[in-house]
Amino acid sequence: MLKMMTFFQGLPGERAMPASPHSPRSPQKPSSTSEAESEASMSEASSEDLALSLEVAAAQDRDEEAVKEKKKSKGLSNMLRVFKKGKIKGHPKAVEPQGHPKASTVPGGPLPTVEELKADLEAGRLEAAGPLLALERELQAAAAAAGGPSEAELVRQQSKVEALYVLLRDQVLAVLRRPLEAAPERLRQALAVVAEQEREDRLAAAAAADPGASALVAARPRRWLQLWRHGVAQAAEERLGARAAAKGGEGSSEAENTFLHLGRTMKEDLEVVVERLKPLFPAEFHVVAAYAQSYHEYFAAQLAAMAQFELCERDTYMLLFWVQNLYPNDIINSPKLAAELQNVRLGSLLPPRQIRLLEATFLSNEVANVNELMTRALELESQRWAQDVPPQRLDGHCHSELAIDTIQIISQSQDKAKGITVELGMQTSQVLLMELAGFLRRYQRDFDEFLERCRQMRNYKANVIANIIANINNCLSFRTSMEQRWPTLQHIHVHALGPLNELKSHGFDALLQNLLSDLKPLFKRFSQTRWAAPMEILDQILTTVARRLPEFSELQDCYQEELMEMVHLHLVKEYIVRLSKRRLVLRTAEQQQHLAGHIHQSAELIQSFCTQNGSHATWLEPALPKLAEIIRLQDPSAIKIEVATYAACYPDFSKDHLSAILAIKGNLSSSDARSIRSILDIHTEFHESSHTLFSLIKLG
């Protein structure tokens, strides 16, 4: 934190304030008349003073009428005395040391001479401002009076007044240039002088509407308040333009150090203005606003100049971060400054168009970086597959860092953008979601290529199965993180989750490849034995499944359940396929009831086995028992009711599937079969959410 007494340490102490473009000029000399010229003018006045004194003494001996005329011009004589009075013997001019300023004017007494005022001002006595203003007013009155001094004399006298005002201005602005180094009372004096001069400027402006003929050159408005503000702007430039003494963190760029210096200096300096200067300055100075605007304008100019160049990625981000976040939030709305600056309306450090260009550049940079990092992560993952390296294990499951790395890459970019503005964060999130969807499609293609290479093997190696499982588990990490990051985006399922669903499905197919190959010959035996020993064959089928299930134990729990549901579906589907092969024709009701009993037993066994191993496919439970009922029933009307109920459960149950089941009933007439099939002519609505069973069964 800056020490408050060194607030303006970079400002010159004795240099006169440069004149404003609107500052007044004297009739013959600029307001910045040098000290040597002023002294020469004063010497000229001294020689004329003596002559005028003699002339006044002679006038006392004139006749009474001349004396009366002189009394009428008493005010004019007083004014002339101020400008013409010399050093009278016995009345030496008192010289006060500068450290103890004391004005030579006496309240209610005569005005001090020009020389006395000059000495007072050179000694730093700001009390001389009052007599100097009175002198200026008397000069204006003399210029307006009839029979007053000549125009040349008025001009000469005005030049002396203006020279004194230059001295006063320099003294006052020198105090205001380093306000914290001045004593509070002296600072109040300087502020009072400026306030008084501003009032005189306003009075002069009101009187200027009808100035009349005058030899005096208009010296007002002097605009000392404006000169003070110009000095404040110089102070801001010197403070903010100084090289930062403290650097940022290791590895910080020059731009980052510049931002840090500008922001820290502005915040700390404005806090000093609020705490130390605001209580001393009159309200009309608006001291906090003056300093804030000057610091803001310099800060904005530096950033605007920087924004004109082609910035590196890091500096583009830092520029936006300062303009959109740190500056408005940590400086303008900081606890000590927010209330003071809320009505100042400083605005943004950069214009909206420039900010939009920088945001577009930032977004382009982020997309390029995210894609590069995600591609690199996928390449590393693919290399592990090719090297036949086992994946990591985490909590008993095969684990891959790909999903974690990818989501972290996305999250960092999202958080980075959100740290600039919430709006930019939302825009970045939407763009990065599309980039993530593209990445997942590439991931799916690479995984499919890996699976294709694996299919050439007769049996998968343990590492291959583990890597397949790890990639399936990745889908859960991706899905969970994406639903958290984009909870309100409706198209997330189409663009991003679609590739994940495909990857998981292909992974399941690969894992089940060996199991389904083992089950195929067993299911064929149902037809070969003409269902003579169905329970023994089913036992072998379920034993084979049980033997393979440990291979899937390192899947995430939800995927173990989903895979078991796929096994459950396969068992039911293959059982129905064997029933529908048209090789079994039972001509008696007893035979049909016997087969129906076997189907019920098989259905119970399959349902129990699959449920115990994690399947939640309750929708499959009625598939076999209801088919058994269609086979058992003999009354065509009862069969129709059962078929209608079955079609409601499984909307993809077609006439072809029904015909294959009815073919088992050798005692069913053709007309009854047609009548039963006609039940399916009634439209059964098939919802997208409906499960598919018979769509997987191809007949013929």
Side-chain angles (χ1 to χ4, degrees):
M1 189 71 179
L2 296 175
K3 293 182 179 179
M4 292 185 180
M5 293 307 296
T6 61
F7 178 46
F8 295 116
Q9 60 186 3
L11 300 180
E14 302 299 331
R15 187 179 66 208
M17 177 67 67
S20 166
H22 304 289
S23 60
R25 295 180 296 176
S26 66
Q28 296 178 345
K29 300 177 184 179
S31 60
S32 58
T33 305
S34 66
E35 184 176 323
E37 291 174 330
S38 179
E39 289 178 357
S41 177
M42 292 301 176
S43 298
E44 180 183 355
S46 298
S47 62
E48 295 177 358
D49 288 345
L50 180 59
L52 184 59
S53 298
L54 294 174
E55 182 180 344
V56 172
Q60 294 175 352
D61 297 332
R62 292 178 183 176
D63 57 315
E64 184 177 357
E65 183 178 351
V67 172
K68 290 180 180 180
E69 184 67 22
K70 178 176 178 297
K71 288 181 179 180
K72 293 179 182 179
S73 305
K74 181 178 179 181
L76 177 62
S77 298
N78 288 338
M79 185 272 296
L80 292 176
R81 180 189 61 77
V82 171
F83 281 97
K84 299 296 185 178
K85 182 179 180 181
K87 297 179 181 179
I88 301 175
K89 186 176 180 180
H91 295 81
K93 180 173 69 72
V95 179
E96 296 292 341
Q98 186 170 354
H100 303 279
K102 181 180 179 182
S104 58
T105 179
V106 179
L111 293 175
T113 65
V114 170
E115 289 184 349
E116 290 171 339
L117 287 175
K118 179 175 180 291
D120 286 343
L121 291 174
E122 289 177 341
R125 299 185 185 106
L126 301 184
E127 297 89 338
L132 178 56
L133 178 59
L135 182 60
E136 179 186 13
R137 290 173 175 171
E138 287 200 358
L139 180 61
Q140 292 170 347
S150 66
E151 290 187 4
E153 176 65 16
L154 289 172
V155 169
R156 188 176 67 84
Q157 293 168 5
Q158 186 184 23
S159 68
K160 293 182 179 181
V161 170
E162 295 305 316
L164 292 176
Y165 266 116
V166 170
L167 290 176
L168 177 61
R169 181 196 68 192
D170 292 348
Q171 289 288 343
V172 169
L173 294 182
V175 173
L176 298 184
R177 191 175 298 120
R178 295 175 178 268
L180 293 178
E181 295 181 4
E185 184 56 35
R186 183 166 177 79
L187 177 59
R188 291 190 181 94
Q189 283 183 321
L191 293 170
V193 171
V194 174
E196 185 178 54
Q197 289 300 310
E198 286 295 304
R199 287 192 294 273
E200 288 299 312
D201 281 352
R202 290 192 292 272
L203 292 174
D210 185 21
S214 176
L216 299 179
V217 177
R220 290 189 184 275
R222 291 194 168 92
R223 299 187 176 92
W224 284 13
L225 188 60
Q226 181 176 322
L227 293 178
W228 167 71
R229 292 195 181 103
H230 181 67
V232 171
Q234 285 186 325
E237 180 177 350
E238 293 178 15
R239 286 286 295 148
L240 296 178
R243 183 177 295 274
K247 299 295 181 182
E250 184 178 354
S252 298
S253 68
E254 182 178 352
E256 290 171 331
N257 289 331
T258 299
F259 294 149
L260 182 62
H261 167 67
L262 292 173
R264 179 183 296 167
T265 303
M266 179 175 180
K267 181 179 181 181
E268 293 177 351
D269 286 6
L270 290 184
E271 287 177 352
V272 171
V273 170
V274 170
E275 294 172 0
R276 299 288 304 278
L277 295 187
K278 184 184 176 183
L280 300 176
F281 275 64
E284 64 196 83
F285 278 70
H286 302 290
V287 61
V288 177
Y291 276 94
Q293 288 168 348
S294 295
Y295 276 69
H296 173 85
E297 289 171 3
Y298 184 85
F299 204 148
Q302 293 298 107
L303 267 61
M306 186 178 299
Q308 298 302 315
F309 295 95
E310 184 175 351
L311 300 174
C312 69
E313 176 188 327
R314 183 171 177 176
D315 289 345
T316 298
Y317 163 70
M318 286 302 301
L319 184 57
L320 274 176
F321 187 59
W322 272 93
V323 170
Q324 298 285 75
N325 186 326
L326 287 183
Y327 184 78
N329 296 326
D330 289 12
I331 297 179
I332 303 304
N333 289 313
S334 62
K336 293 183 179 180
L337 300 179
E340 302 293 337
L341 300 180
Q342 63 180 350
N343 295 324
V344 178
R345 303 183 185 279
L346 296 178
S348 174
L349 288 172
L350 289 176
R353 180 177 178 275
Q354 187 69 56
I355 292 175
R356 287 194 297 270
L357 290 175
L358 289 170
E359 288 180 342
T361 301
F362 165 81
L363 188 54
S364 177
N365 291 338
E366 287 305 301
V367 168
N369 282 340
V370 165
N371 275 325
E372 180 182 354
L373 293 173
M374 291 193 303
T375 299
R376 190 182 307 167
L378 181 56
E379 288 175 351
L380 292 175
E381 182 70 16
S382 300
Q383 289 174 8
R384 284 193 288 269
W385 304 339
Q387 294 168 358
D388 194 25
V389 176
Q392 302 177 37
R393 262 72 176 183
L394 181 64
D395 298 330
H397 303 295
C398 292
H399 175 72
S400 168
E401 292 289 325
L402 179 63
I404 295 175
D405 292 343
T406 303
I407 295 301
Q408 186 175 11
I409 292 168
I410 295 286
S411 300
Q412 287 176 348
S413 184
Q414 286 178 308
D415 295 343
K416 189 176 179 182
K418 188 177 179 180
I420 297 175
T421 63
V422 174
E423 294 76 13
L424 183 59
M426 293 177 61
Q427 182 183 1
T428 302
S429 292
Q430 295 180 5
V431 172
L432 292 182
L433 174 61
M434 302 306 296
E435 297 300 321
L436 178 59
F439 165 78
L440 292 177
R441 286 192 292 271
R442 296 194 300 273
Y443 176 30
Q444 178 200 335
R445 287 195 298 268
D446 288 356
F447 184 66
D448 286 345
E449 292 175 2
F450 165 65
L451 294 180
E452 187 61 34
R453 293 193 300 269
C454 293
R455 287 190 184 97
Q456 298 174 5
M457 309 174 188
R458 187 175 183 277
N459 288 299
Y460 288 157
K461 297 180 180 178
N463 287 342
V464 171
I465 294 176
N467 277 305
I468 293 174
I469 291 175
N471 283 280
I472 294 174
N473 289 340
N474 264 342
C475 295
L476 179 62
S477 300
F478 273 118
R479 179 184 291 272
T480 302
S481 299
M482 290 163 62
E483 290 176 346
Q484 291 174 351
R485 284 270 161 186
W486 295 278
T488 60
L489 296 182
Q490 299 300 323
H491 58 283
I492 182 174
H493 298 284
V494 177
H495 294 288
L497 297 185
L500 288 178
N501 292 335
E502 289 292 320
L503 188 148
K504 179 192 67 175
S505 177
H506 296 172
F508 281 164
D509 290 343
L511 290 180
L512 293 175
Q513 177 178 315
N514 292 336
L515 172 60
L516 300 187
S517 297
D518 294 342
L519 294 179
K520 188 174 182 180
L522 293 175
F523 273 109
K524 283 184 177 181
R525 292 177 57 188
F526 274 117
S527 300
Q528 293 169 357
T529 60
R530 301 184 64 85
W531 303 89
M535 299 307 296
E536 292 81 355
I537 298 173
L538 185 58
D539 285 340
Q540 294 179 28
I541 289 173
L542 298 182
T543 300
T544 301
V545 173
R547 188 168 59 245
R548 288 284 187 176
L549 288 181
E551 296 178 3
F552 315 136
S553 62
E554 292 183 310
L555 281 168
Q556 292 287 348
D557 294 346
C558 62
Y559 290 147
Q560 288 188 50
E561 295 172 359
E562 190 171 345
L563 187 67
M564 194 62 220
E565 290 177 6
M566 292 181 65
V567 173
H568 191 172
L569 174 61
H570 181 77
L571 295 178
V572 172
K573 182 198 73 170
E574 286 299 313
Y575 198 101
I576 295 174
V577 167
R578 296 305 160 185
L579 278 177
S580 306
K581 283 301 182 177
R582 300 184 182 230
R583 295 179 181 176
L584 180 64
V585 178
L586 303 177
R587 299 189 181 278
T588 66
E590 184 180 359
Q591 290 174 327
Q592 294 169 21
Q593 291 175 2
H594 183 68
L595 176 59
H598 283 304
I599 295 173
H600 273 290
Q601 291 178 5
S602 298
E604 292 176 1
L605 190 59
I606 292 173
Q607 183 68 29
S608 175
F609 174 83
C610 293
T611 302
Q612 290 175 5
N613 284 281
S615 172
H616 296 286
T618 55
W619 65 278
L620 287 171
E621 187 172 355
L624 294 178
K626 285 189 174 296
L627 282 182
E629 283 302 295
I630 294 174
I631 295 172
R632 184 185 66 82
L633 291 173
Q634 300 301 308
D635 180 35
S637 298
I639 296 174
K640 287 180 182 181
I641 295 174
E642 195 65 39
V643 169
T645 305
Y646 198 72
C649 294
Y650 304 99
D652 56 347
F653 184 55
S654 69
K655 285 186 177 182
D656 289 339
H657 296 113
L658 177 57
S659 296
I661 298 300
L662 294 179
I664 299 174
K665 300 174 71 67
N667 59 348
L668 187 66
S669 67
S670 298
S671 60
D672 287 340
R674 283 194 304 270
S675 178
I676 294 171
R677 285 195 298 269
S678 67
I679 293 298
L680 297 182
D681 291 334
I682 301 174
H683 176 68
T684 303
E685 187 176 357
F686 183 79
H687 299 281
E688 290 184 2
S689 59
S690 300
H691 298 287
T692 59
L693 172 58
F694 288 90
S695 299
L696 304 175
I697 299 174
K698 307 301 179 183
L699 300 176

